[in-house]
Amino acid sequence: MATNSVLNQGLAPQFVAAETLRTLVPVLQPIKEIAVTDFSSYVDRIGNVVHTRLASPLTSATYDPSVGFVEQSAVAADIAVQLTAQTYVDIAFTDIEQGSISAEMLRRVFLAPMTESVAKSMFDNLLALCTAGNFSNVGYSGATSGFTRAGGVVPITAKLTQMNVPYEGRTALIAPDAYAQLLADPTIAQYLSIGDNSVIREGQANENANGYLGKIHGIKFWEYAGFPGSGTYPELAGIASAKQGLVIATRVAPQITVGGGTQETITDEDSGFALAFRQYYNWQEGKMHLNVNFIQGSAVGNPNGLARIVFTS
């Protein structure tokens, strides 16, 4: 009787690539919410520069019959993003593992950690830019215990409005201690228990998007565990924006033409994010290697389009 193993799927690149993409898409969601993303399946090289654009705001004017209507130029700021790193994850299976591992174990033991590490590398590059020098606006600065709906979320909402950050698409990425503070706030718990109470039951508002708390005062809140310096004060405990402050660009590395193996590009049709998926056998090791890699770079977009959340104690 045939067993449900990856080998019986033929270890086909198409099968593993599709499972990799299916596992990766939910992990990418917070990045798509918080940053301007220039994802593409175009082939590029480290050191090259990708140009993306951010629209500059327009101002209204009072009509004056003596001068008539005076036009304004719609200006888009050019943001140059240098591709600085080729990020990869490589996993290998022995001949025995190939014949015994199930598709479920492949997803749980190998693909899930692989996609988490891919997303973490992107988060790390973006958060490294979130310094006081790059973004001087602070939505909340105070004790961890003070980060509640009234004491934390309301000031962030007011700050974003003062910064002229659009209402639509407002998103905050917060550290676990900040996320826990909001979950423990009785006014938020009461709100989350009304209607769809999946946050209370499941720990997230959307079962297909891990770490999503929901929308509070017009801001979507996402949890992320990899903030630098967590527990060391002052601590960067979160950022709030509306896809203005940060820009990330990704491209696909050139295809290898020697050495054997196969490579195909897998693309998330919704975001455009693409990975090069490689599969090759190392005869000396006696192992089948699965490798995903891509080229990435990040940059500051609008310095006045992001507010930092800082815990001082």
Side-chain angles (χ1 to χ4, degrees), residues 148-186:
T148 60
R149 182 194 62 80
V153 178
V154 171
I156 293 170
T157 304
K159 187 64 177 181
L160 293 178
T161 301
Q162 293 166 7
M163 294 161 56
N164 293 319
V165 172
Y167 289 98
E168 184 177 355
R170 288 184 177 182
T171 301
L173 188 70
I174 57 176
D177 46 359
Y179 192 89
Q181 280 295 121
L182 296 183
L183 283 178
D185 186 321

Side-chain angles (χ1 to χ4, degrees), residues 214-225:
K215 183 180 285 189
I216 306 171
H217 293 307
I219 303 174
K220 293 181 178 180
F221 280 87
W222 295 83
E223 181 183 31
Y224 176 64

Side-chain angles (χ1 to χ4, degrees), residues 32 35 39 64 67 74 85 108 137 209 257 260 268 295 303 313:
K32 292 159 55 180
F39 295 156
D64 184 344
V67 296
R108 175 171 52 85
N137 291 291
T257 57
D268 172 23
I295 299 174
S313 63

